[in-house]
Amino acid sequence: MFLKIPINYPFALKIALLAFFCLPFTQINAETEILIPAPPRLAASSYILLDADSQRVLAEKNADEVLPPASLTKIMTVYIAFRELKNNRLSLDEMVTVSEKAWRTPGSKMFIEVNKQVKVEDLLKGIVIQSGNDASVAIAEHIAGDERTFAEMMNQQARRLGMSSTHFANSTGLPAPNEHYTTARDLALLTRALIREFPEYYRWDKEKEFTFNNITQKNRNTLLWRDESVDGVKTGHTEAAGYCLVASAKREDMRLISVVLGTKSKSARANESQTLLNYGFRFFETHKLYDANTILTTARVWKGASEVVNLGLADDMYVTISRRHYKEMKATTHVDLKLLAPIKVGDNLGTVNVMLRDKIITSQPLIALNAIEKGSFFQRAYDSALMLIKLR
C-alpha cells in the first residue's frame, strides 16, 4: 500500500494519515527545474564534501583515488583511543611511559621525554591539537604493545567502517610507500564516525592551542580562527601527500565534512576547504524528517497473536536538498499486504521513500518495532479464510 505524507505536516497528523488513509502516489508536476550551481573547482588532487547526517555527497573530485594521508592518519589513531576509553579499557588519568622509539619519532612533536610518564589525556590533546608524532607512537604502544599491532587494529576498524580503499602501516602518517594509503571518501567516513560516536572528545578538535612541558603550540587548522562554525578536524603534510585538511563545520542544524587532499600550501588547503564548506552551506539544507524507533504507521498481521504491528525506522531519517524546496517533498510508504506471524523486532517489512518532484531522494526500510508471536490454531485458521476473501 502507498501512503502520502507531506513532510511539513505536524507529527501527529503524519501518523493519522499513515494509519488511516491509503492513497495512490501522484507525481508532482514541476513547473520549474531545481537548479544548483556546479561545485567549485578546487586546486587539489582529491576532495569530497559530505553531509554528516544524511550522508549525501555534495561535491567530489577523485574521491576514490588512493593517496598518502600524512597526519590525517591520526584521526584513526585517536578514534581507536576513544573506543578504548568508551569500553573502559583506557582512562584519561592513566599514565603512559614514553619509550625511546616514541621520543625519537621524527616530524611534528608534543615534546614528551623518554622514560617520563604522561597522562593519556595529555597525549590525546598532543595528537589532536599539536599533531604530535611522538604522542601518537606513545599512545599506540600503550594500547597495543607496539605500533605494528596498533596498525592492525587501525586496519580492523577501517574495514568495520567500510573504508574499503585504506591501509595503515603506522599511527603517525609518516611515509610508508604502498603500505600506508587512503582516499578522501574513506577519510570522510572515518571523520563522520569520530564526530558521531565521541562528541565528548571531539570537542578537543576546536581548541586553538595546547601547552605541554611549558611549550605552547597552536592548532594547525587555521580555519578555527577564520570561521566560527568550524570545529575540527585535522591537518596533514608530507612531500608525497602535499598539504591536506579534513574540516568539519556546523551551521544551525547542518554539519558538513570536507576532505581536501594534495594542495600546494598551508594557505591553499585552508582556502579550498573554506570554499567547499561555503558552497555546501550556501546551496543546500538538511532536515531531520523522522526519529528512529518511533511509530510511523501500523500494518495488519495475519495468523498472529496480535493483528497489528507497529512500524518505524532503525535510524533517524535525514535528507539534504537544495535550499527552498522543503515544502515540495513528499514521503510515501510501501508495506507488504501479506505480513505473516511470527514477526521479530527489527524485521524489514516495508520502505519509506522521500520524493522531491518526481525523484526518490532518500529511502529507508520500515522495520517492526514490536514482536508478533504466531497465533493459536483457531486464529491461524480464521485468518487463512479471511485472506482468501480480502487478498484475492
Side-chain angles (χ1 to χ4, degrees):
M1 58 184 171
F2 291 88
L3 309 175
K4 290 177 60 181
I5 322 164
I7 298 296
N8 57 329
Y9 275 26
F11 181 78
L13 186 53
K14 294 176 188 175
I15 298 301
L17 285 169
L18 280 164
F20 300 110
F21 289 88
C22 183
L23 302 174
F25 173 71
T26 303
Q27 288 188 347
I28 302 169
N29 294 319
E31 296 181 359
T32 59
E33 294 184 5
I34 298 175
L35 300 177
I36 303 173
R41 295 183 179 182
L42 306 186
S45 300
S46 170
Y47 58 83
I48 192 168
L49 181 64
L50 177 75
D51 183 276
D53 291 312
S54 71
Q55 301 187 66
R56 178 175 172 180
V57 174
L58 305 181
E60 64 177 298
K61 171 193 170 186
N62 300 333
D64 297 306
E65 182 179 352
V66 172
L67 294 168
S71 281
L72 304 183
T73 298
K74 292 164 186 160
I75 301 173
M76 178 60 88
T77 300
V78 296
Y79 179 82
I80 290 179
F82 295 163
R83 281 179 61 87
E84 295 295 296
L85 289 167
K86 184 175 183 178
N87 293 322
N88 297 316
R89 293 190 290 264
L90 193 66
S91 70
L92 292 177
D93 291 331
E94 198 168 321
M95 302 304 292
V96 176
T97 301
V98 178
S99 71
E100 185 171 350
K101 179 187 175 183
W103 174 65
R104 289 187 179 276
T105 303
S108 53
K109 295 179 179 291
M110 73 173 288
F111 298 104
I112 52 179
E113 299 176 73
V114 66
N115 295 326
K116 295 288 183 68
Q117 289 197 318
V118 184
K119 284 200 308 183
V120 164
E121 182 174 356
D122 287 337
L123 287 174
L124 290 174
K125 288 183 177 180
I127 298 169
V128 171
I129 304 167
Q130 298 177 334
S131 195
N133 287 347
D134 50 359
S136 297
V137 174
I139 203 74
E141 291 177 336
H142 185 71
I143 290 173
D146 60 71
E147 194 177 13
R148 182 176 294 276
T149 303
F150 187 81
E152 182 50 39
M153 292 177 67
M154 298 169 77
N155 291 322
Q156 289 173 355
Q157 292 304 316
R159 289 190 291 270
R160 185 183 65 83
L161 292 171
M163 299 170 65
S164 58
S165 300
T166 293
H167 187 269
F168 296 107
N170 57 58
S171 63
T172 61
L174 289 171
N178 303 318
E179 291 186 82
H180 198 87
Y181 52 81
T182 189
T183 66
R185 193 181 310 278
D186 282 359
L187 286 169
L189 288 174
L190 171 60
T191 301
R192 177 178 183 269
L194 180 84
I195 295 170
R196 288 170 64 87
E197 294 179 34
F198 309 111
E200 69 272 37
Y201 304 125
Y202 175 66
R203 59 188 172 83
W204 293 335
D205 285 69
K206 66 182 179 182
E207 293 190 14
K208 295 179 179 179
E209 62 180 36
F210 178 58
T211 300
F212 179 81
N213 208 11
N214 295 318
I215 301 171
T216 299
Q217 296 186 72
K218 292 188 181 299
N219 196 317
R220 292 168 172 80
N221 183 2
T222 57
L223 290 186
L224 296 174
W225 280 266
R226 70 163 76 168
D227 185 340
E228 291 183 352
S229 69
V230 173
D231 54 16
V233 179
K234 189 73 191 74
T235 60
H237 172 256
T238 62
E239 185 175 345
Y243 290 87
C244 310
L245 175 59
V246 175
S248 184
K250 186 173 184 179
R251 301 181 188 175
E252 297 178 350
D253 293 326
M254 185 177 185
R255 176 176 290 282
L256 297 180
I257 296 168
S258 66
V259 182
V260 174
L261 306 179
T263 67
K264 299 297 185 183
S265 66
K266 293 178 182 179
S267 60
R269 71 185 175 192
N271 292 339
E272 301 294 49
S273 297
Q274 185 77 76
T275 296
L276 203 54
L277 291 169
N278 286 344
Y279 168 78
F281 286 120
R282 172 65 181 83
F283 295 108
F284 296 91
E285 59 190 34
T286 296
H287 298 276
K288 184 179 183 181
L289 304 185
Y290 305 114
D291 292 320
N293 301 310
T294 299
I295 300 172
L296 292 185
T297 187
T298 59
R300 175 67 156 93
V301 178
W302 303 95
K303 303 183 181 182
S306 172
E307 292 185 355
V308 176
V309 62
N310 297 324
L311 302 178
L313 305 175
D315 300 300
D316 295 339
M317 177 178 270
Y318 289 87
V319 64
T320 301
I321 58 172
S322 57
R323 288 195 172 275
R324 295 179 296 279
H325 293 283
Y326 175 68
K327 292 183 179 180
E328 298 178 46
M329 288 190 296
K330 302 287 182 182
T332 65
T333 66
H334 175 77
V335 181
D336 190 349
L337 293 176
K338 293 182 68 174
L339 297 181
L340 300 177
I343 291 173
K344 300 189 296 295
V345 173
D347 280 354
N348 186 345
L349 303 179
T351 307
V352 175
N353 293 323
V354 178
M355 309 189 75
L356 180 58
R357 305 290 172 92
D358 58 347
K359 294 182 180 179
I360 295 176
I361 56 175
T362 191
S363 181
Q364 278 184 223
L366 272 175
I367 64 166
L369 298 180
N370 61 293
I372 305 293
E373 301 295 331
K374 187 180 292 187
S376 67
F377 172 79
F378 294 104
Q379 287 172 316
R380 297 197 307 273
Y382 178 79
D383 274 2
S384 293
L386 198 59
M387 290 172 70
L388 291 176
I389 298 171
K390 291 197 171 186
L391 301 181
R392 291 193 215 181

